[in-house]
Amino acid sequence: MQNEPLVMNMDERQRLIEWWNTMDAAKPMVRRLMSLITELRLNPESSHADGMILFYRAASEISYGYAGVRGCIRRAFTNEYRESLRMNMVMCHSFAERFSVDAKVLLERVAQQITGPSAIQLIERIRETLAENDVMLKEIKSKADAFFGRDTFHLMQKKMKQSITLPKI
């Protein structure tokens, strides 16, 4: 039943710890990304750029996705570990992935409108950090695949996407 607590065996617990460690290793990168984007948003050379707020929002969703997965993993070690928590792990992971794509697109939109040297330097540092984020997301996905099982994780992602997608009319 969906509301029943789930029990992990020792192998699952170890894979969950490895996933946690990877999420923990990503924290400084996420902090740096948000710091750089905040600096860009407040910089007089770039604060006027069209799409800046959308870009900042996309980056915030990346951060929320990472934080959400971390919170879910922490809760999975308690009696809160249930199917609904597993789906929440998948959903939070998808936020980080999906909004990473959006952030890169929006960054380029913002970058086209900026000419100031300090803002251009920030843009380049953000690009580098978003590239780092892509590498971390691949590592995190591999840990999620290992924990859930690749096929199970894929099915859960598909189920989650279907639950948040409006039906075709």
Side-chain angles (χ1 to χ4, degrees), residues 5 7 21 24 41-42 61 81 84 104 109 113 143:
V7 178
N21 289 338
D24 200 44
R41 194 174 130 227
L42 297 174
E61 292 293 338
Y81 185 53
S84 58
K104 286 184 276 190
R109 178 181 176 167
Q113 303 169 50
K143 299 302 181 185

Side-chain angles (χ1 to χ4, degrees), residues 80-144:
E80 294 181 55
Y81 185 53
R82 294 176 165 75
E83 191 59 34
S84 58
L85 183 63
R86 289 167 52 95
M87 287 305 294
N88 200 22
M89 292 164 117
V90 172
M91 189 178 335
C92 290
H93 176 80
S94 75
F95 290 164
E97 282 187 328
R98 188 171 338 132
F99 286 102
S100 291
V101 173
D102 292 352
K104 286 184 276 190
V105 170
L106 290 164
L107 174 63
E108 295 312 316
R109 178 181 176 167
V110 167
Q112 291 174 356
Q113 303 169 50
I114 295 171
T115 56
S118 67
I120 290 171
Q121 184 181 28
L122 284 169
I123 293 285
E124 190 52 41
R125 291 177 63 201
I126 292 167
R127 283 183 183 126
E128 291 168 3
T129 307
L130 285 169
E132 239 183 279
N133 179 56
D134 288 344
V135 171
M136 287 305 301
L137 286 173
K138 286 179 186 173
E139 181 66 22
I140 289 164
K141 184 176 183 335
S142 75
K143 299 302 181 185

Side-chain angles (χ1 to χ4, degrees), residues 126-169:
I126 292 167
R127 283 183 183 126
E128 291 168 3
T129 307
L130 285 169
E132 239 183 279
N133 179 56
D134 288 344
V135 171
M136 287 305 301
L137 286 173
K138 286 179 186 173
E139 181 66 22
I140 289 164
K141 184 176 183 335
S142 75
K143 299 302 181 185
D145 283 344
F147 177 70
F148 289 118
R150 186 180 182 136
D151 292 339
T152 300
F153 187 51
H154 178 74
L155 287 172
M156 291 173 75
Q157 287 177 313
K158 187 176 178 179
K159 181 179 174 182
M160 186 271 308
K161 286 177 186 174
Q162 288 173 340
S163 74
I164 63 172
T165 304
L166 294 174
K168 292 180 182 179
I169 297 176

Side-chain angles (χ1 to χ4, degrees), residues 37 40-41 46-58 102-103 105-111 113:
I37 292 171
L40 182 71
R41 194 174 130 227
S46 54
S47 61
H48 66 281
D50 186 38
M52 181 63 76
I53 298 301
L54 291 174
F55 173 54
Y56 185 81
R57 178 62 192 209
D102 292 352
V105 170
L106 290 164
L107 174 63
E108 295 312 316
R109 178 181 176 167
V110 167
Q113 303 169 50

